[in-house]
Amino acid sequence: AAHSQGGPTTLMVRNIPTECTCEMLMQEWPADSSYDLLYLPKRSGGRATLGYAFINFTSPAHAAAFAAAWRSQRLIAFPRSRGLNITV
């Protein structure tokens, strides 16, 4: 994970439902200039994702605020999914 002075800026978000798209994530997490990269890898040959994403924030404070707000939360479009697991 990328670290700048004051803490990490890149987080890994796990437990994202495999049907979730990058567009769905951007509706949940609007591009408000707090992050500059959202990567949601997909399975080869299909539309399903691998169930995790990487987000790079523009500051350690933005990364910490996102982690605090979303840790163990569920995405609105997938209320029965497991809570999100956020790590550095």
Side-chain angles (χ1 to χ4, degrees), residues 2-69:
H3 285 76
S4 66
Q5 196 165 21
T9 56
T10 302
L11 300 177
M12 181 177 193
V13 183
R14 294 184 181 94
N15 297 339
I16 295 174
T18 57
E19 317 81 62
C20 190
T21 65
C22 201
E23 291 76 20
M24 290 175 170
L25 288 182
M26 291 186 75
Q27 287 178 354
E28 297 267 359
W29 309 325
D32 59 2
S33 74
S34 66
Y35 65 90
D36 55 12
L37 175 75
L38 171 58
Y39 176 59
L40 179 66
K42 293 184 179 181
R43 296 185 189 278
S44 60
R47 291 179 44 191
T49 67
L50 296 174
Y52 61 88
F54 293 97
I55 307 176
N56 187 67
F57 291 88
T58 55
S59 74
H62 286 127
F66 178 90

